[in-house]
Amino acid sequence: MKCALIVPPWLPEEIFSSKTAGSQINYWQPLGTLYVAAALRQAGHEVRFYNGAFLRHREIMAGTAEFAPDFIGLYSTAFGWPKAREMAAALRRAGGDFFLVVGGPFPIAMPEQCLEECPELDAAVTGEGEFTVVELLERLAAAFPPPAPLGRAGADLAGVSGLVYRAGEQIVKNPPRPLITDLDSLPFPARDLLGEIDDYVPPPATYKRRPVAVIITSRGCNRRCLYCFQIDKTRKSGIRYRSVDNVMAEIRHCLAQGYREIKFIDDTLAADYDRAMELARRIKEEKLDFTWFASACVNQVDQPLLQAFKEAGCWAILFGAESGVQKDLNTIRKGITVAQIRKAVAAAKEVGITVYTPFLFGIPGQTFADGLKSIDFALELDPDIANFHALTPFPGTELWDNLEQYGTVSHDLSDYTYQGAAFTPYTMTREEINELRRIAFKRFYSRPKFLWRRLLALRTLNDLRAAGSGLKSLFWLLVGSKIFTKR
């Protein structure tokens, strides 16, 4: 079958303040969609990908009209759901016989709501989509053998695990599909569908070389952070790992495609200490020419592991600090201490790895004074880069499921981006959250010590571009009181 996978169009200014978008914007490779594309291809289907990060609405409509797909899969986050609805309606108005499905974090959390709000949809995928979508197409092909066009009704979809679908006037929810345990069995993401790979870049100053590939070496998490979205809410499956051999094969595959840097996007690359050490050893042993970036929990690393990362080409690491107040860390169930944050940051600096630390404002029970203490802690840590987000209650998280216990929530989905203060604890106001973010960015990035260090670190054209974007954002932070209002 002919399959079109679509990320609906969006603009940076819809997420970030127009004043600071240049230093915040990032274009990620959508790994989930690329994994589904690879699984469909492996099953013998023809796949095209339309990425609304770079294509406007009319371009996607023209492309799908020319392709005339039998199956269309839309991707949606909470922020992107209104766009996905618009896209679904436009595709139906344009005509054609195709089966229309939505997947992604928002449909996984709210599948029935998606079908109720968007009558143009035929189904929603409620978990990992690789096997679900392939089985769905097998059922559709059996009900509508080629050359007959796919119908919107009549296929027997009962028993297709991980699917919520429309059966006449009824919405039917099938049982969830078991999580994929043998991750090595999956084909590598279909990155050849991306188009110009140089277009896919993380935010300025968060990469050394281009193009940048994104790789995930595991799925799932065994931690229970209040704000984290996981398909496995019970955490019974824990973390499912790919073998080091399989990860190394994908690294070589990416390098053969021309990538020069890799960003590992596991929640924590160091959850299995021995596996992380083995991966670093193998990269160094094979003398592969690439730089890399990873994330890790502060209580899972030590200086020997970080030294091994450094020697294998790791230039930067992200530690989710989140807060400098132990009470707040306990509330979000981060499972770490302030002392462990200090120790991990110091160890990474000691071995020469660039350190990134995100912080959160709007934690349940957090006060404005607590937020100021977190800012002081960020200054004390003195990482190379710090980010200051608004805690966001994404649907499907424990925070979302227990909102009345913790605070109030915005019903405007455009706020669900880490930027818009979608959640307000009872102990703060939305205005205070935005003010804390402004103060934090201003105090951290206007320090002479930071500016001098960044000046001395300038080496490449990419460094100069990042510095220019940062200086523009700093200017608006210094002169604008409502800098985080999107416009």
Side-chain angles (χ1 to χ4, degrees):
M1 290 186 187
K2 296 165 71 173
C3 304
L5 302 179
I6 300 173
V7 175
W10 59 276
L11 296 172
E13 292 76 15
E14 295 169 341
I15 299 177
F16 306 105
S17 165
S18 60
K19 307 298 185 185
T20 61
S23 61
Q24 293 178 289
I25 190 170
N26 59 90
Y27 296 107
W28 292 103
Q29 296 178 349
L31 277 193
T33 301
L34 299 179
Y35 266 112
V36 170
L40 288 169
R41 279 179 162 180
Q42 189 177 63
H45 302 287
E46 180 183 357
V47 183
R48 291 191 187 178
F49 173 54
Y50 303 89
N51 191 347
F54 308 111
L55 299 174
R56 297 304 93 215
H57 180 88
R58 66 180 181 277
E59 294 172 307
I60 294 175
M61 294 301 297
T64 53
E66 181 271 330
F67 184 44
D70 305 298
F71 171 87
I72 298 178
L74 295 175
Y75 174 83
S76 180
T77 59
F79 160 78
W81 173 236
K83 301 284 188 180
R85 288 176 60 186
E86 292 174 13
M87 193 85 246
L91 289 166
R92 286 293 180 207
R93 285 196 303 268
D97 293 301
F98 54 84
F99 197 88
L100 183 57
V101 172
V102 66
F106 189 71
I108 289 173
M110 317 288 283
E112 293 98 335
Q113 179 178 324
C114 288
L115 293 187
E116 289 166 0
E117 293 182 357
C118 187
E120 293 83 5
L121 288 171
D122 295 309
V125 175
T126 62
E128 294 173 324
E130 292 92 345
F131 296 158
T132 299
V133 172
V134 169
E135 184 179 347
L136 169 61
L137 291 188
E138 290 173 354
R139 294 287 191 94
L140 294 174
F144 306 100
L150 290 184
R152 295 197 62 195
D156 179 13
L157 301 181
V160 180
S161 302
L163 195 72
V164 174
Y165 64 98
R166 200 181 304 280
E169 299 298 318
Q170 302 297 315
I171 293 175
V172 181
K173 185 174 185 178
N174 288 340
R177 181 173 294 274
L179 294 171
I180 300 169
T181 55
D182 182 9
L183 298 180
D184 285 4
S185 68
L186 295 173
F188 297 150
R191 293 184 181 85
D192 60 291
L193 295 175
L194 290 173
E196 293 294 330
I197 59 176
D198 264 320
D199 291 340
Y200 292 82
V201 291
T206 67
Y207 62 92
K208 283 288 187 185
R209 305 169 72 183
R210 293 172 65 179
V212 183
V214 175
I215 289 180
I216 188 164
T217 79
S218 62
R219 293 186 182 183
C221 186
N222 54 11
R223 307 166 75 88
R224 299 189 63 89
C225 296
L226 193 69
Y227 54 85
C228 181
F229 174 80
Q230 291 287 335
I231 296 173
D232 178 19
K233 283 193 174 186
T234 65
R235 307 298 197 270
K236 286 183 180 178
S237 298
I239 303 175
R240 294 160 287 141
Y241 296 100
R242 296 169 56 192
S243 68
V244 172
D245 283 343
N246 187 253
V247 174
M248 291 299 298
E250 186 176 2
I251 290 172
R252 290 190 292 269
H253 178 71
C254 288
L255 298 183
Q257 291 181 316
Y259 291 100
R260 303 176 66 227
E261 179 157 315
I262 289 172
K263 186 175 288 287
F264 293 105
I265 61 168
D266 303 60
D267 290 330
T268 170
L269 192 66
D272 182 326
Y273 185 95
D274 292 339
R275 175 179 177 271
M277 187 69 83
E278 173 66 8
L279 179 61
R281 185 190 68 78
R282 290 281 299 277
I283 293 172
K284 178 182 177 182
E285 188 178 79
E286 294 194 24
K287 299 180 180 179
L288 299 177
D289 181 20
F290 72 101
T291 48
W292 52 282
F293 182 117
S295 299
C297 291
V298 296
N299 61 345
Q300 296 174 342
V301 300
D302 58 17
Q303 192 156 329
L305 180 61
L306 293 169
Q307 183 66 47
F309 278 15
K310 174 70 175 179
E311 292 175 1
C314 176
W315 73 273
I317 193 162
L318 183 148
F319 294 128
E322 321 304 8
S323 176
V325 178
Q326 190 62 49
K327 167 182 69 73
D328 292 341
L329 292 173
N330 295 343
T331 296
I332 59 177
R333 297 203 301 268
K334 188 70 180 176
I336 60 175
T337 66
V338 171
Q340 288 171 332
I341 297 171
R342 285 194 181 97
K343 184 177 180 181
V345 170
K349 286 183 175 182
E350 180 68 24
V351 304
I353 293 178
T354 296
V355 179
Y356 292 70
T357 55
F359 289 85
L360 293 172
F361 296 125
I363 294 170
Q366 186 183 53
T367 65
F368 191 81
D370 291 332
L372 292 175
K373 290 178 183 177
S374 277
I375 297 172
D376 289 338
F377 183 61
L379 299 179
E380 174 200 330
L381 288 177
D382 190 30
D384 297 275
I385 300 289
N387 213 332
F388 303 94
H389 300 292
L391 181 66
T392 305
F394 291 109
T397 64
E398 186 166 338
L399 179 58
W400 172 271
D401 291 340
N402 298 277
L403 283 173
E404 291 185 0
Q405 177 182 344
Y406 298 118
T408 59
V409 65
S410 166
H411 296 287
D412 180 355
L413 291 179
S414 70
D415 287 333
Y416 286 70
T417 61
Y418 293 116
Q419 308 293 324
F423 171 78
T424 306
Y426 294 124
T427 48
M428 250 199 282
T429 67
R430 181 171 175 150
E431 290 73 24
E432 285 177 322
I433 293 171
N434 285 327
E435 178 63 6
L436 282 169
R437 293 189 69 216
R438 188 188 69 83
I439 293 171
F441 279 111
K442 178 179 177 180
R443 287 188 62 193
F444 189 90
Y445 288 103
S446 65
R447 293 173 299 150
K449 177 181 180 180
F450 172 83
L451 294 171
W452 180 245
R453 187 169 65 211
R454 296 300 296 169
L455 178 64
L456 293 178
L458 294 178
R459 294 288 187 277
T460 66
L461 182 59
N462 175 55
D463 293 338
L464 290 171
R465 288 175 180 148
S469 296
L471 286 173
K472 179 182 177 182
S473 295
L474 178 60
F475 169 79
W476 287 111
L477 285 164
L478 294 172
V479 303
S481 61
K482 298 187 181 297
I483 187 67
F484 293 114
T485 300
K486 298 191 295 291
R487 55 185 180 271

